Amino acid sequence: MRNNYIEILNNKVEIPIIQRDYAQGRTDNKTNKIRKDFLDVLFDFISKKELYPEIEIELDFIYGFNEEESNNQITFVPIDGQQRLTTLWLLYWFVSVKEGISDGEVTFLANFMYETRHSTTEFYRNLIQFKPEFSHEHINEEITNQPWYFETWDFDPSIQAMLVVLKDIELRYKGLNVKSVWNVIENSPFYFYKLDMEKVGLTDDLYIKMNSRGKPLTEFEYFKAGFSEIISEPEQRKRFELSIDGTWTDAIWHIIIESGSLTEDDDIALIVDNSFLNFFNFITSVISFKKDLKDKSDFRYSNTIESAELLKTIYKNTENQNFLFDALDAICRQERENPAFWNELFYFRKDDFTTTKTRLFFPGEETNLLKRCLRFADNRVLSFPEQILLLACLTHLKNPNDLFNDQIRTLRNLVVNSENELRESNLGNSFEEAEHFIKNNDLEIFKTFKTDQIQEEKSKKEYIYHVTTSKKNLQKLEDSDILRGSISLFPLAGDFKNRANKFLEIFDENDIISDFNTKSNLLLSFGDYSQSDGTLTNLMSNKGRVVRNFLTTPGYNKSDFQEKTRTVILQCLDFFIANQSASIQQKTDEVLFDYSKSPKDWKYYFMKYSSFRENCNQGYYSFLKGTDYCIWKMKERQFNGWHWDPFLREVKNSKRIKNVSLDNYGAKLGFSHNRKKILIFSVPNGFLFENGMSDRSANTLLDDLQLNGTINKDGLYFIPQTNDGNDLEDRIKLLEQTLSEIGQK
């Protein structure tokens, strides 16, 4: 029956002693959100009601019993709705005393009784009679300063919650631009659907389930009580009610128990309830994105209480109900018939590779994405790639097919290589494409993932169709942690199999990080593998993410990736395929030996001096156009951070030369001798020496260097070079030799 608030209070309403405390005034984060949302709804409505007098607001269902007293008066005893009824009572009481409404107009307030505790009952009786003067900053302060307010009430949770809510009501009231709130609410535009339990067939068991003595209703209990009311079709409702306390919960219970992550202090029932809601929220989020529903982003892993209106919007649709129910049924079937499904589908550690599994690269080592969803391990919600893979797995579990192992690998490759493409704005389309692909095995459906990776997946499929024997090699290459599904370095033709094996041998995912200088020097021994990134040049660093970006399309520069990086790596692989007995060290030593007899370009210095790589976290360098010897080494990527001339930094850090200094912001090298100081910096054809003292005339060191021909009149320390500007001798050694000789005088 639909009643407004005052109609409900025309008869007695009594909160029974078995009921939990009034909780909407608690100050934990969750309750603060619930209270804020509810009061926002009420006060927003009041503002609109003054402008549009005809509007009303519905505040959902309230459940309870009707009790007939000896005088034939009916008392309604609510078991669900207590919080909303109480908050409205506090609103009516505050507005009536604030606007001086006569006692005769608010007699209905006396019909609302709180019998949860004697103290709460006495507080209500005193509050009804109280006429505040609003002499304090806040109404709750004035109430607690009254002679009828007992100090022991400071420990009554219901009374304290009511004081919090009254303060919030007062603050919102002050912000209203309404002449008289009472005129807006006096005829009660607040409506409920009041359900008498004995008439709708609800049992005492439900009462007990919903209201354990002294315990607040859990979010899961709220969910179960409210969700079935959304379902209009009897068969659908029956399916939900039979499964929610049966097969669905049993399956999740089993998953949580089998996880082995519980402790003696854990409340298994509460964990299972919350795990169910985590999965429910995931499915609801998927539906919200797919259907492009308003405020969908607010629902991702959010609270079902906070999102009650959105739930109604989503699940009044039978198709959406079935999407949820079918997923839960599929999980039950998988747990019953194929409990090893997740462990046989994914793996994490490199050495666990098999052709039937796909490697995951997400944080942690949980191969069971469903379990991740249920428990939100380490308080980390599922990333977009994880969500898409989980949805794909659920789609398969609903309708299994023999192609799924290959499909999930393809989808893994797409999601981990589409970081920039997977955004909230197109996540719904990504979900749709993933589902369609699993159902139809149609690569043409993909539009929202990275274009290069989509094309690569098509090429792989075509290649494996014709060269089946290379499938294992391709899969193992895809599963390298530094490639993660993107193998655009390798032409899918010719000697692919041997190149794949040799790459995994030489550029092992762990070795390339731990022994980065050796691996990068090896590449330099075959040529310039760098990639431009705007005005900067990238040469990789010993950070996994940097290596991964560099070796997978588009890297930092698509043209350089194809023409330089790919060419150099393939030359390297082909060399070692043809020269099985050759070692990495042997190859780099040979190249460095050749440099000793030939001009020395920038690659020589990078190979010779490991300091050129140190403290270059992102692998960025800035080369002066047209020269190999004017370089800034960037600690990160910006010039407002630390950066150095790597030639000067090698001299400073080598400890071969004393009395040198170098600041961290593109500074010149300082060299001191006999209380004289010069500054040195790189130029294409050598180094430039300049005065480092306040009084140039006192710097006889510069004069001496000019007189003995070490530098010319312009301060240039010349390095012998070829006609095309390459050093004939090692400029670092020459500079150190000269500074050492100066220091010995």
Side-chain angles (χ1 to χ4, degrees):
M1 180 181 297
R2 187 172 185 268
N3 301 100
N4 69 36
Y5 183 67
I6 293 178
E7 288 173 343
I8 293 172
L9 263 62
N10 281 336
N11 292 315
K12 284 181 62 178
V13 175
E14 182 176 285
I15 307 301
I17 201 165
I18 198 173
Q19 261 286 16
R20 66 192 180 109
D21 299 314
Y22 176 57
Q24 217 162 64
R26 293 174 182 168
T27 54
D28 59 276
N29 291 337
K30 176 179 173 181
T31 309
N32 283 339
K33 168 68 172 170
I34 294 172
R35 179 175 66 255
K36 176 183 180 299
D37 287 353
F38 187 53
L39 290 178
D40 284 348
V41 168
L42 296 181
F43 279 84
D44 287 346
F45 172 78
I46 289 170
S47 297
K48 295 174 183 176
K49 177 71 174 173
E50 186 181 50
L51 299 175
Y52 308 101
E54 72 280 2
I55 63 173
E56 301 169 345
I57 184 171
E58 292 185 354
L59 299 177
D60 215 336
F61 294 89
I62 54 174
Y63 304 88
F65 297 97
N66 285 319
E67 294 182 349
E68 185 173 349
E69 299 182 9
S70 57
N71 60 0
N72 295 325
Q73 184 177 4
I74 300 297
T75 298
F76 179 66
V77 182
I79 67 163
D80 185 44
Q82 164 201 356
Q83 308 296 319
R84 287 165 288 156
L85 292 171
T86 303
T87 300
L88 275 177
W89 191 96
L90 295 171
L91 172 66
Y92 270 92
W93 176 81
F94 177 85
V95 174
S96 68
V97 296
K98 183 69 175 177
E99 298 187 1
I101 306 304
S102 67
D103 291 344
E105 293 184 75
V106 294
T107 55
F108 63 90
L109 292 178
N111 287 333
F112 191 70
M113 307 294 293
Y114 237 89
E115 297 292 343
T116 53
R117 282 191 177 92
H118 176 72
S119 57
T120 313
T121 302
E122 286 300 311
F123 174 79
Y124 250 67
R125 288 172 178 166
N126 282 280
L127 197 60
I128 289 173
Q129 299 172 20
F130 177 48
K131 303 298 182 186
E133 298 177 355
F134 298 97
S135 55
H136 293 65
E137 183 177 358
H138 299 297
I139 184 64
N140 58 312
E141 296 172 358
E142 186 171 0
I143 292 172
T144 56
N145 281 320
Q146 296 307 305
W148 50 264
Y149 183 88
F150 293 95
E151 289 183 1
T152 55
W153 289 355
D154 289 342
F155 304 100
D156 186 301
S158 288
I159 293 175
Q160 294 308 303
M162 291 171 189
L163 292 173
V164 169
V165 172
L166 281 171
K167 179 182 176 181
D168 277 4
I169 288 173
E170 181 183 42
L171 292 173
R172 282 172 169 76
Y173 181 93
K174 290 179 179 178
L176 279 177
N177 185 23
V178 175
K179 292 181 180 179
S180 171
V181 175
W182 186 259
N183 288 341
V184 175
I185 68 173
E186 63 178 336
N187 294 321
S188 187
F190 309 109
Y191 281 83
F192 295 89
Y193 288 97
K194 180 171 167 286
L195 299 181
D196 300 332
M197 290 181 66
E198 63 272 19
K199 291 183 179 180
V200 297
L202 298 178
T203 65
D204 289 351
D205 288 340
L206 178 60
Y207 182 91
I208 294 170
K209 283 183 180 180
M210 295 178 68
N211 290 277
S212 299
R213 176 188 286 271
K215 293 184 179 180
L217 295 178
T218 67
E219 184 182 345
F220 184 66
E221 289 164 336
Y222 270 117
F223 164 76
K224 288 196 297 183
F227 191 82
S228 61
E229 298 300 326
I230 298 174
I231 306 172
S232 58
E233 295 184 12
E235 285 301 314
Q236 288 287 91
R237 180 179 294 187
K238 181 180 179 181
R239 181 185 180 188
F240 172 78
E241 292 176 347
L242 288 175
S243 301
I244 190 65
D245 283 322
T247 55
W248 295 344
T249 303
D250 289 346
I252 292 175
W253 186 291
H254 180 262
I255 294 170
I256 299 303
I257 291 293
E258 289 296 311
S259 70
S261 60
L262 298 176
T263 68
E264 293 181 357
D265 297 329
D266 285 331
D267 183 337
I268 177 62
L270 182 60
I271 289 174
V272 170
D273 288 352
N274 290 338
S275 295
F276 180 93
L277 290 179
N278 286 341
F279 180 77
F280 170 79
N281 287 337
F282 164 69
I283 292 295
T284 306
S285 173
V286 171
I287 295 171
S288 299
F289 277 106
K290 286 171 56 179
K291 304 296 184 181
D292 196 25
L293 297 176
K294 184 181 179 183
D295 299 328
K296 57 182 179 295
S297 60
D298 294 335
F299 200 90
R300 285 182 297 126
Y301 309 111
S302 67
N303 183 301
T304 56
I305 297 173
E306 299 169 13
S307 308
E309 291 303 315
L310 183 57
L311 288 182
K312 292 177 185 177
T313 301
I314 294 172
Y315 288 108
K316 66 184 179 182
N317 182 293
T318 303
E319 179 185 353
N320 294 340
Q321 295 168 17
N322 286 331
F323 187 81
L324 168 66
F325 298 169
D326 290 347
L328 287 163
D329 286 344
I331 292 170
C332 296
R333 187 166 54 250
Q334 174 259 306
E335 284 295 307
R336 184 176 62 252
E337 300 175 1
N338 187 14
F341 171 76
W342 295 101
N343 287 335
E344 293 177 351
L345 183 63
F346 296 122
Y347 75 100
F348 266 96
R349 294 187 176 91
K350 178 183 70 172
D351 295 337
D352 293 335
F353 169 82
T354 72
T355 57
T356 59
K357 293 184 179 183
T358 295
R359 191 176 184 185
L360 296 180
F361 305 105
F362 307 121
E365 294 192 2
E366 179 56 74
T367 59
N368 189 327
L369 293 178
L370 174 61
K371 193 186 299 180
R372 276 272 300 110
C373 177
L374 296 177
R375 293 301 306 272
F376 291 157
D378 302 322
N379 297 316
R380 182 178 64 85
V381 299
L382 291 175
S383 63
F384 288 165
E386 288 173 296
Q387 291 182 52
I388 292 170
L389 290 182
L390 175 56
L391 177 62
C393 292
L394 295 173
T395 304
H396 166 70
L397 291 176
K398 292 177 185 178
N399 295 287
N401 70 73
D402 295 335
L403 301 173
F404 184 63
N405 279 53
D406 290 337
Q407 290 176 324
I408 201 66
R409 173 175 287 274
T410 296
L411 198 57
R412 186 281 311 267
N413 296 342
L414 288 171
V415 298
V416 299
N417 287 289
S418 300
E419 183 178 329
N420 295 327
E421 288 75 14
L422 292 181
R423 300 182 297 270
E424 283 192 2
S425 58
N426 63 12
L427 188 59
N429 291 331
S430 299
F431 283 144
E432 293 275 13
E433 291 173 13
E435 283 185 286
H436 179 93
F437 176 62
I438 300 303
K439 292 175 182 177
N440 302 287
N441 199 36
D442 178 16
L443 280 167
E444 297 300 326
I445 189 61
F446 291 117
K447 299 291 186 296
T448 61
F449 298 91
K450 188 164 77 172
T451 303
D452 289 326
Q453 194 63 39
I454 294 172
Q455 185 55 51
E456 181 180 313
E457 296 309 311
K458 293 177 181 178
S459 299
K460 289 175 187 173
K461 184 177 181 180
E462 180 71 15
Y463 175 69
I464 293 302
Y465 177 79
H466 291 288
V467 191
T468 309
T469 56
S470 292
K471 183 175 182 179
K472 179 179 179 180
N473 308 88
L474 185 148
Q475 290 180 333
K476 199 164 187 179
L477 193 64
E478 287 180 325
D479 284 1
S480 166
D481 188 50
I482 59 175
L483 298 180
R484 295 190 176 185
S486 176
I487 61 171
S488 50
L489 271 174
F490 302 86
L492 294 175
D495 204 14
F496 170 81
K497 184 185 294 188
N498 285 330
R499 282 172 167 174
N501 292 338
K502 188 58 68 174
F503 179 87
L504 293 172
E505 174 190 330
I506 296 176
F507 300 102
D508 173 81
E509 63 186 57
N510 297 319
D511 291 349
I512 196 172
I513 304 301
S514 62
D515 195 16
F516 175 73
N517 279 2
T518 298
K519 306 301 182 182
S520 59
N521 284 350
L522 174 63
L523 291 179
L524 284 175
S525 69
F526 286 94
D528 176 7
Y529 68 86
S530 67
Q531 296 175 31
S532 300
D533 187 5
T535 59
L536 301 179
T537 297
N538 196 281
L539 282 159
M540 288 196 290
S541 74
N542 62 349
K543 303 293 186 294
R545 184 179 181 87
V546 175
V547 174
R548 192 171 304 118
N549 286 343
F550 195 90
L551 296 180
T552 55
T553 306
Y556 295 91
N557 180 293
K558 195 168 184 177
S559 175
D560 286 347
F561 174 86
Q562 295 287 346
E563 297 173 9
K564 296 167 69 176
T565 308
R566 190 188 206 199
T567 299
V568 167
I569 288 179
L570 293 180
Q571 287 176 355
C572 173
L573 298 178
D574 291 344
F575 172 83
F576 285 102
I577 291 171
N579 300 274
Q580 293 291 331
S581 61
S583 70
I584 293 174
Q585 192 62 52
Q586 177 185 353
K587 175 62 178 175
T588 53
D589 286 346
E590 288 177 355
V591 172
L592 280 173
F593 179 77
D594 290 341
Y595 269 122
S596 68
K597 300 179 294 183
S598 61
K600 298 158 183 53
D601 58 11
W602 65 269
K603 297 191 294 299
Y604 160 79
Y605 291 102
F606 274 79
M607 294 178 66
K608 177 70 175 177
Y609 300 105
S610 61
S611 70
F612 273 57
R613 301 283 191 177
E614 293 170 359
N615 288 317
C616 189
N617 295 337
Q618 306 300 319
Y620 281 108
Y621 299 82
S622 177
F623 283 75
L624 180 65
K625 188 174 182 180
T627 176
D628 287 356
Y629 311 111
C630 293
I631 309 171
W632 294 117
K633 177 175 67 172
M634 321 290 291
K635 184 174 183 180
E636 299 300 336
R637 194 181 188 277
Q638 300 82 19
F639 273 101
N640 59 0
W642 285 6
H643 59 284
W644 311 270
D645 178 325
F647 297 95
L648 302 180
R649 187 170 171 84
E650 170 63 24
V651 174
K652 165 64 175 63
N653 290 349
S654 69
K655 298 182 181 179
R656 294 184 291 267
I657 305 299
K658 298 179 180 179
N659 301 324
V660 290
S661 61
L662 185 71
D663 196 6
N664 296 316
Y665 292 91
K668 301 170 183 178
L669 183 73
F671 175 73
S672 301
H673 179 64
N674 292 337
R675 306 182 70 176
K676 308 294 189 295
K677 184 177 182 180
I678 57 176
L679 299 176
I680 305 169
F681 58 97
S682 296
V683 291
N685 55 350
F687 297 98
L688 203 60
F689 287 37
E690 62 180 27
N691 174 52
M693 301 172 62
S694 57
D695 184 358
R696 168 63 182 89
S697 63
N699 196 346
T700 57
L701 178 57
L702 270 180
D703 298 330
D704 293 342
L705 292 174
Q706 289 181 10
L707 286 173
N708 64 27
T710 301
I711 60 176
N712 65 17
K713 62 182 179 62
D714 297 319
L716 176 64
Y717 179 83
F718 180 73
I719 301 297
Q721 291 185 326
T722 63
N723 291 334
D724 54 0
N726 285 329
D727 290 353
L728 289 171
E729 296 185 55
D730 185 324
R731 63 172 54 207
I732 291 175
K733 288 183 179 180
L734 288 177
L735 178 62
E736 287 181 342
Q737 180 180 341
T738 297
L739 296 180
S740 178
E741 291 172 354
I742 296 171
Q744 294 173 8
K745 293 180 180 179

